[in-house]
Amino acid sequence: MTSNCVLPGQPIPLARGAPAPQIGSGIYARDSELRASLVGIPKQDGPVLSISRVRPRPPAINSVVLGTVTRLSPLQATLSIMVVDGVPLPAGEEFTGVIRSQDIRATEKDRVKIGESFRGGDVVRGVVISLGDARSYFVATARNDLGVVFAVSEAGKTMVPVSWKEMRCPQTGKLEKRKCAKPE
């Protein structure tokens, strides 16, 4: 079994060869698989497998966040934060993050260009480095596992990362510059 957060409808992985658990709260069976009906972490208490609801919380320092790029300027990218530490935020609850140009990469910070790292609509994984001001959190993507995790090309296709700084459109083959997150 896993200790990762699951989303509604997502299959719950079970240990191979283990007896089938009894279904508890937050879980249902479909197509001979156990699936989550709540956002949460599956826990087994004796023979009963259940999911207790995980409450979303605001970002804190060192929280890993997922957000969509909503605005770009020469000095920073603005994110609408949707997920905090693997837990999706409820509809209507939104936090704003700012990625400054000096927080995009760990090296050559003075040569980073926002337009070569992000585009509007990109989904970015980052880590909160400061609580910033009253309106936004400061977010960094300077680690290898942080950066753009989802982008759409000009042709409207989901792009594929080809290096840490480029993504390719599968339809046109055109390369676009991004600060890519290393796949997990």
Side-chain angles (χ1 to χ4, degrees), residues 98-176:
V98 172
I99 304 173
R100 301 171 299 181
S101 60
Q102 66 264 32
D103 297 327
I104 293 174
R105 289 199 321 230
T107 60
E108 299 178 338
K109 295 179 181 193
D110 55 333
R111 299 176 71 192
V112 173
K113 293 184 177 143
I114 295 288
E116 292 181 357
S117 301
F118 309 111
R119 302 264 173 92
D122 288 355
V123 176
V124 176
R125 181 187 312 125
V127 65
V128 175
I129 56 171
S130 168
L131 301 183
D133 58 23
R135 294 176 308 224
S136 60
Y137 295 88
F138 287 128
V139 176
T141 59
R143 297 188 332 221
N144 287 341
D145 63 327
L146 304 175
V148 176
V149 294
F150 176 83
V152 176
S153 71
E154 292 174 1
K157 301 294 179 189
T158 300
M159 298 187 67
V160 179
V162 293
S163 73
W164 64 272
K165 61 180 182 176
E166 288 183 320
M167 296 183 106
R168 174 179 285 129
C169 173
Q171 180 177 342
T172 64
K174 182 179 175 189
L175 293 175
E176 293 183 21

Side-chain angles (χ1 to χ4, degrees), residues 66-71 78-83 89 93-97 124:
L66 276 178
T68 304
V69 176
T70 56
R71 274 192 319 258
T78 304
L79 296 177
S80 173
I81 296 173
M82 306 172 293
V83 177
L89 296 173
E93 188 170 337
E94 183 178 305
F95 296 103
T96 301
V124 176

